[in-house]
Amino acid sequence: MDEQQLRSRDWFGRSGKDGFIYRAWMKKQGIPAYELEGKPIIGICNTWSELTPCNSHFRELAEFVKRGVLEAGGFPVEFPVMSLGETLMKPTAMLYRNLASMDVEESIRANPLDGVVLLCGCDKTTPSLVMGACSVDLPSIVVSGGAMLTGKHRGRSIGTSDLWRFSEDYRSGKMTDMEMSLAEAGMCRSDGHCAVMGTASTMACMVEALGISLPGNAAVPAPDAGRKVMAQLSGIEIVKMVKEDRRLSTILTKQAFENAIVVNAAIGGSTNFVIHLLAIAGRVGIELSLDDFDRLSANIPLLANLHPSGQYFMEDFYYSGGLPAVIKNLLPHLHANSLTVNGKTLAENVSLQECYNTEVIAPLEQPFNEVSGIVVLRGNLCENGAVLKPSAASPELMQHTGRAVVFENIDDYKTRIDDPELEVDEDCVLVLKNVGPVGYPGMPEVGNMGLPAKILAKGVKDMIRISDGRMSGTGFGTVVLHVSPEAAAGGTLGIVQDGDIITLDVGARLLEVALSEEEISIRKAGKLQAEANVPRGYVHLYQKHVEQAHLGADFDFLKGGSGSRVTKDSH
Ligand code: FES
């Protein structure tokens, strides 16, 4: 692409009043005229925020991207977009994923940008930025923020997955306030996102497997000097991508999505991967369904020994060779010739990579677990599907029939879960309704609900739990998630009652409630459909337009893209 074809020339290449306005106000920032005379203008889409602690180092990271852009002959312009902090946002950061994606899409399209660097870190900041960028389809590259250093508590390594154990120990009285406070101080010791293969690291691996980040991007820890190098190299690469007109749509083929699913299985990635990858596929018009996840991950063993499915942490993953080492081992199962951002294939990118520690990254022939990936369940309790992560579940519960103990919503659960009078034993199945996209609204990560205190007191660590919500990527247990249709959208989940008999058979991919079709119809007829009940504002829009989990929970009107053309001028 020569400089006259650059999109930004439609702003800065103009004469007369319009060009004057476009250039003059940029120059007030101390930008010399020559910077706007035909260099590729590279946007750095920054999710820095002190309310997103996982991304709090992004202002510094952006400076290294700028170095790379300048070195390659481009001109960098940093701009903020809505940042989604997983730990602080109420009712759940997921409620705002689609909103942030709209901010990203419109900010890119409206401005004089030729290419974009997406600075992504905490869970939702990756899918929201990628979704928005896909709907514009300029050359774009992801730079992840990197995971934090491994947490430490009483000489032991800890990560976010331990939080769920701490919580159970605290509730059952095994952990004191003082002990909790000590663990809290040791959990997050540096810049970066969660130190385990939770959703943020899963998303970083997803973009690398899709080919939309440089190889090695996923695993470099945030405080490692290599993270800054990765940012600078990505700045160089995006200028090349603009010159070669390498857009997201040239990389994000069906094969790239299939690669991401296979890789996610091998690393024991988060169940949230399903919902975000479906939404991204929807933005680039790739046909992807829940069944693709089950089909493609069914024969993929677990190659990464990382929390929550294994023992180690993201820092260890990096020292062992990171995602390129996993991809190299997995090549027989991948579309090795898929194109990536640097113009090379997936296979070319990993050809020189070695694995430095087989305790952390296993060869294909000797996996840590034959079971991995995402299982998609079907049955009368989830007509459009539900998901379960077998590597984080208990083998003895994979085929189980039990009595339902039903919570109508999260408040009901919180009120009654520790009630000594609750009629529950460890063979029961805990059912939580109305935590789906429409019902909550926003589909929070409450699916791995804590066990009843009286069950914990017996030393029981796992029970089957079923909901229309999600689970933190750091969570574990025999947890059925994303039940679709959700209770609030007329799903059978909504009419399950205490005492109903539920069967989970992971091998048969079955989730059933022992009710006749007739009984289900009668119960549904007697139940009023929940309406979108928030009268105004963004949440009103969300409830009206969010799709069900099996479609990715994007807004119906955001599917696809509108390209990068802007047909009307501002002056
Ligand atoms: Fe941000 Fe875990 S809270 S990645």
Side-chain angles (χ1 to χ4, degrees):
M1 175 182 285
D2 69 41
E3 73 182 45
Q4 286 318 314
Q5 293 170 304
L6 289 172
R7 182 173 180 270
S8 58
R9 300 309 294 154
D10 199 33
W11 281 260
F12 302 131
R14 292 206 184 183
S15 55
K17 179 197 74 178
D18 287 353
F20 180 106
I21 293 172
Y22 292 135
R23 289 184 298 270
W25 269 260
M26 285 299 278
K27 287 176 180 172
K28 76 188 279 288
Q29 301 176 92
I31 298 171
Y34 63 83
E35 298 286 12
L36 305 176
E37 289 174 354
K39 291 186 178 183
I41 308 294
I42 305 298
I44 301 172
C45 181
N46 201 340
T47 48
W48 170 86
S49 168
E50 288 177 341
L51 292 170
T52 306
C54 301
N55 298 13
S56 62
H57 57 304
F58 279 19
R59 285 200 290 197
E60 188 188 18
L61 203 60
E63 293 305 315
F64 285 86
V65 174
K66 287 180 189 172
R67 281 191 194 182
V69 171
L70 291 167
E71 186 184 330
F75 186 72
V77 280
E78 186 181 345
F79 64 98
V81 288
M82 185 181 191
S83 186
L84 307 178
E86 197 64 29
T87 50
L88 298 180
M89 292 191 89
K90 292 184 179 185
T92 166
M94 181 65 180
L95 178 65
Y96 306 107
R97 184 200 64 178
N98 299 345
L99 177 63
S101 81
M102 291 165 76
D103 178 358
V104 172
E105 175 180 347
E106 303 305 333
S107 295
I108 293 174
R109 185 179 299 112
N111 281 299
L113 303 176
D114 299 304
V116 186
V117 179
L118 307 170
L119 293 189
C120 306
C122 197
D123 297 11
K124 307 299 175 297
T125 57
T126 302
S128 57
L129 266 58
V130 173
M131 288 160 69
C134 280
S135 290
V136 189
D137 195 27
L138 286 179
S140 307
I141 189 170
V142 175
V143 176
S144 299
M148 60 178 95
L149 298 177
T150 308
K152 296 289 172 188
H153 175 54
R154 291 191 175 277
R156 196 166 73 80
S157 292
I158 59 168
T160 320
S161 300
D162 291 287
L163 175 58
W164 313 112
R165 294 187 186 93
F166 294 156
S167 170
E168 304 284 53
D169 286 351
Y170 183 69
R171 287 175 57 224
S172 63
K174 282 191 215 146
M175 232 171 142
T176 62
D177 281 317
M178 171 63 84
E179 199 66 16
M180 284 292 270
S181 173
L182 282 173
E184 185 181 310
M187 178 68 79
C188 305
R189 300 189 300 123
S190 75
D191 285 337
H193 58 247
C194 290
V196 299
M197 188 51 80
T199 302
S201 291
T202 297
M203 290 294 99
C205 290
M206 175 190 77
V207 294
E208 188 171 331
L210 284 168
I212 58 173
S213 74
L214 285 178
N217 168 69
V220 187
D224 194 291
R227 179 52 63 189
K228 295 175 179 137
V229 173
M230 185 61 66
Q232 184 162 344
L233 293 177
S234 301
I236 294 171
E237 200 60 55
I238 188 64
V239 178
K240 282 195 220 155
M241 289 174 71
V242 170
K243 289 180 177 162
E244 292 165 19
D245 200 24
R246 196 174 306 121
R247 292 164 189 261
L248 283 171
S249 56
T250 61
I251 299 166
L252 291 175
T253 60
K254 175 83 187 221
Q255 293 191 334
F257 283 89
E258 292 187 342
N259 283 342
I261 293 171
V262 170
V263 169
N264 190 64
I267 59 173
S270 159
T271 45
N272 286 319
F273 167 82
V274 179
I275 214 153
H276 298 319
L277 196 75
L278 285 166
I280 293 166
R283 296 299 185 98
V284 283
I286 297 290
E287 292 285 330
L288 201 66
S289 74
L290 268 189
D291 292 331
D292 288 319
F293 291 81
D294 202 319
R295 173 178 64 83
L296 290 161
S297 55
N299 298 318
I300 305 301
L302 187 70
L303 300 186
N305 188 7
L306 301 170
H307 280 247
S309 301
Q311 287 174 264
Y312 291 94
F313 296 85
M314 286 305 291
E315 209 182 324
D316 307 305
F317 188 48
Y318 175 55
Y319 302 142
S320 306
L323 199 67
V326 174
I327 289 176
K328 190 168 185 185
N329 290 353
L330 268 181
L331 279 177
H333 293 281
L334 295 170
H335 301 291
N337 290 327
S338 294
L339 181 71
T340 71
V341 276
N342 61 7
K344 296 185 181 154
T345 66
L346 200 63
E348 286 169 341
N349 281 338
V350 302
S351 62
L352 300 176
Q353 184 65 53
E354 291 175 43
C355 169
Y356 307 119
N357 187 349
T358 52
E359 298 268 300
V360 180
I361 299 173
L364 203 50
E365 314 74 53
Q366 290 171 297
F368 298 115
N369 194 339
E370 290 295 344
V371 176
S372 78
I374 307 286
V375 164
V376 177
L377 303 163
R378 302 278 179 184
N380 66 358
L381 195 43
C382 53
E383 299 95 313
N384 291 331
V387 303
L388 176 140
K389 182 175 173 180
S391 61
S394 302
E396 66 276 13
L397 289 174
M398 301 292 243
Q399 190 175 18
H400 182 86
T401 296
R403 172 171 61 86
V405 175
V406 178
F407 302 96
E408 290 299 322
N409 53 48
I410 194 69
D411 294 327
D412 183 29
Y413 163 79
K414 284 180 179 167
T415 306
R416 296 195 293 124
I417 189 65
D418 289 338
D419 184 343
E421 301 299 313
L422 185 69
E423 288 191 24
V424 64
D425 61 46
E426 55 270 40
D427 292 327
C428 288
V429 174
L430 302 181
V431 174
L432 175 58
K433 303 178 187 176
N434 292 308
V435 290
V438 176
Y440 194 69
M443 209 182 175
E445 294 181 332
V446 294
N448 58 326
M449 57 197 121
L451 306 190
K454 65 181 182 186
I455 303 287
L456 287 174
K458 290 196 221 172
V460 174
K461 299 256 187 268
D462 195 10
M463 290 172 69
I464 294 178
R465 288 155 273 178
I466 300 173
S467 77
D468 43 14
R470 297 178 303 118
M471 168 172 85
S472 164
T474 62
F476 49 84
T478 311
V479 185
V480 177
L481 302 155
H482 308 186
V483 167
S484 177
E486 61 175 297
T492 305
L493 187 73
I495 54 93
V496 174
Q497 297 171 354
D498 276 337
D500 287 345
I501 301 301
I502 291 178
T503 296
L504 169 69
D505 186 341
V506 175
R509 305 294 195 257
L510 182 73
L511 183 67
E512 283 262 336
V513 56
L515 294 173
S516 66
E517 276 184 37
E518 192 188 359
E519 175 64 17
I520 290 173
S521 304
I522 292 169
R523 287 198 200 173
K524 281 187 178 175
K527 192 170 169 58
L528 285 176
Q529 280 286 307
E531 292 286 319
N533 52 14
V534 176
R536 68 162 300 280
Y538 169 71
V539 181
H540 175 77
L541 179 84
Y542 181 93
Q543 281 194 315
K544 273 187 132 24
H545 291 282
V546 70
E547 294 192 323
Q548 288 293 287
H550 71 284
L551 299 173
D554 200 359
F555 289 156
D556 48 11
F557 62 87
L558 288 178
K559 287 277 178 73
S562 305
S564 60
R565 264 195 88 217
V566 191
T567 50
K568 292 198 170 73
D569 285 326
S570 44
H571 311 296

